Amino acid sequence: GESVGLHLPTLSVQEGDNSIINCAYSNSASDYFIWYKQESGKGPQFIIDIRSNMDKRQGQRVTVLLNKTVKHLSLQIAATQPGDSAVYFCAENINNAGNMLTFGGGTRLMVKP
Amino acid sequence: DSGVTQTPKHLITATGQRVTLRCSPRSGDLSVYWYQQSLDQGLQFLIQYYNGEERAKGNILERFSAQQFPDLHSELNLSSLELGDSALYFCASSPSDEQFFGPGTRLTVL
């Protein structure tokens, strides 16, 4: 398949374990954050989002944590499955900048059966 | 399936040529965004259109241009192509803040 980046940081976890993917964002004025999953040969797929007035948001098997003090975002995946193997990107958005997203460099998650 | 379609899926062309990439947004979405994904630069925002009007511009080269038509589909035109333009080009559409990405067009410039 097509690779989206050859030198991405990689997180390797055992199937069934929890995964935590971290992201440091750059702009203290960012007020909306999104996590995307990108599988080989596909476009980024929306996973979960969070606004800056929240510090935690939960979805199905995923939780996003936002720490504005240190400009840090994390994605927690519970009971990681082989289908979770992909590259994960965080993206930040400053709403007064036309809704453009600024993406982080990505983390490759590899799930071992 | 995000509901965003892009054509073509693959495009191979030569340096100096011009190509047009096409995007159809999700039904009802007025905003269209274009992004470039290369191995060394990651995902970079190029340009946004909202209901036919340019809304925001990012790291888009002067050789590149885009437009959004009355039926809301969008085209990204890349001209005087260089080897370094080889990348994945994604279109996304949005009803508000969330952006939904298409499958991308892989451009290879030889």
Side-chain angles (χ1 to χ4, degrees):
Chain A
E2 300 154 345
S3 66
V4 298
L6 298 179
H7 304 292
L8 293 172
T10 297
L11 175 65
S12 185
V13 300
Q14 204 69 40
E15 181 179 357
D17 287 351
N18 297 334
S19 303
I20 300 176
I21 300 171
N22 296 303
C23 175
Y25 63 93
S26 56
N27 197 321
S28 55
S30 295
D31 54 9
Y32 178 63
F33 305 87
I34 309 177
W35 279 100
Y36 283 95
K37 171 187 181 183
Q38 188 174 22
E39 296 173 280
S40 183
K42 296 185 178 180
Q45 176 189 351
F46 175 91
I47 301 174
I48 192 167
D49 60 358
I50 189 168
R51 298 199 178 275
S52 59
N53 61 353
M54 302 173 69
D55 52 22
K56 180 178 180 178
R57 189 158 189 236
Q58 288 184 291
Q60 187 179 14
R61 278 202 310 120
V62 294
T63 300
V64 55
L65 299 177
L66 174 62
N67 185 330
K68 295 181 287 294
T69 303
V70 295
K71 291 189 287 186
H72 183 269
L73 200 63
S74 69
L75 176 70
Q76 301 177 2
I77 304 174
T80 313
Q81 301 168 1
D84 296 327
S85 294
V87 177
Y88 289 80
F89 294 95
C90 67
E92 60 187 294
N93 173 306
I94 308 171
N95 268 330
N96 63 359
N99 275 9
M100 56 178 277
L101 290 176
T102 300
F103 281 81
T107 297
R108 189 181 303 278
L109 175 65
M110 296 178 61
V111 182
K112 297 176 286 186
Chain B
D1 184 355
S2 67
V4 178
T5 60
Q6 290 186 248
T7 56
K9 189 171 173 62
H10 298 279
L11 199 48
I12 301 174
T13 189
T15 54
Q17 295 298 304
R18 173 190 166 96
V19 297
T20 297
L21 313 183
R22 184 188 167 103
C23 168
S24 292
R26 297 182 334 146
S27 177
D29 288 355
L30 299 179
S31 277
V32 168
Y33 307 77
W34 286 97
Y35 291 84
Q36 179 192 58
Q37 186 174 40
S38 58
L39 288 178
D40 58 347
Q41 297 274 333
L43 266 159
Q44 300 244 306
F45 169 75
L46 296 177
I47 197 164
Q48 178 200 0
Y49 277 81
Y50 178 84
N51 203 19
E53 303 269 330
E54 183 184 303
R55 175 63 68 91
K57 226 170 186 177
N59 299 321
I60 186 165
L61 299 171
E62 285 191 12
R63 300 183 285 109
F64 296 1
S65 65
Q67 53 185 326
Q68 186 179 27
F69 295 86
D71 66 353
L72 300 178
H73 91 271
S74 178
E75 293 181 355
L76 179 67
N77 301 295
L78 315 176
S79 61
S80 302
L81 285 167
E82 301 175 359
L83 297 177
D85 298 326
S86 296
L88 278 162
Y89 290 86
F90 289 104
C91 166
S93 77
S94 171
S96 59
D97 291 324
E98 291 178 31
Q99 293 184 25
F100 298 90
F101 283 74
T105 293
R106 175 166 285 282
L107 174 66
T108 302
V109 183
L110 301 175

